[in-house]
Amino acid sequence: MTLMPQSFPDGHWGREDISPLFKPVYTFASTALGSRVIKALVPLDRRVLRATKGKYTLFGPTSMPELLLTTTGRKSGQQRVSALSYLRDGERLLVLGSNFGEQRHPAWSLNLIADPHAVVSINGIDIPVTATLLTGPERDRGLQRFLAYPMYQAYRTRTDRELRLFALTAR
């Protein structure tokens, strides 16, 4: 089922507010150990998200909202699926290429630069999207929203590269 380009559905899991109840989870996620644990769980989480078409995540309600992003590999031409946290920005979704603060940009961000057409899966619905790499004040505003979460603050300090921020708009 494909959603027409009016808006994105709400997911079953994840929350954008920083609830005091979940603050310890975000604090753990911002540590080097927490990042390693989460990174190790991402392949399993991707399987859960894939099996439920973005309805459920391994991290449950303690995480930010998550989606599956399907891009076209810039070298292989193959479909590549990534599990990503996102924030809403009006009728768009924002995704940040933090890559847990590693020195390399995540492959999905390189794929979006090569071909901005992708598909997101949220709450069992596939939505074709077009990605726009944000720059300038628009990027700064979006980045500040992600930096409200301790783990993104930590990721930003672990690398000297500029974290890429994309807006995803339904087509």
Side-chain angles (χ1 to χ4, degrees), residues 56-117:
Y56 299 103
T57 171
L58 180 68
F59 302 110
T62 63
S63 71
M64 293 173 66
E66 289 191 52
L67 57 76
L68 282 177
L69 177 69
T70 303
T71 60
T72 301
R74 69 193 183 289
K75 294 179 183 175
S76 69
Q78 300 293 314
Q79 298 296 290
R80 303 293 183 202
V81 180
S82 302
L84 302 174
S85 296
Y86 69 90
L87 296 174
R88 291 182 179 274
D89 183 49
E91 292 296 312
R92 310 182 306 177
L93 303 179
L94 300 178
V95 290
L96 183 66
S98 64
N99 205 18
F100 298 95
E102 292 187 10
Q103 291 303 318
R104 292 186 323 245
H105 291 287
W108 63 262
S109 74
L110 298 166
N111 294 342
L112 286 180
I113 289 171
D115 180 358
H117 296 103

Side-chain angles (χ1 to χ4, degrees), residues 19-34:
S19 166
L21 180 65
F22 299 131
K23 198 164 185 163
V25 174
Y26 294 144
T27 300
F28 174 70
S30 68
T31 67
L33 174 61

Side-chain angles (χ1 to χ4, degrees), residues 5 12 17 23 34-35 37 41 47 55 76-78 84 91 94 97 100 114 124 127-128 134 139 148:
H12 288 288
D17 64 326
K23 198 164 185 163
S35 292
V37 169
L41 293 173
R47 282 190 224 124
K55 282 186 181 181
S76 69
Q78 300 293 314
L84 302 174
E91 292 296 312
L94 300 178
F100 298 95
I127 304 127
L134 300 181
R139 178 192 176 276

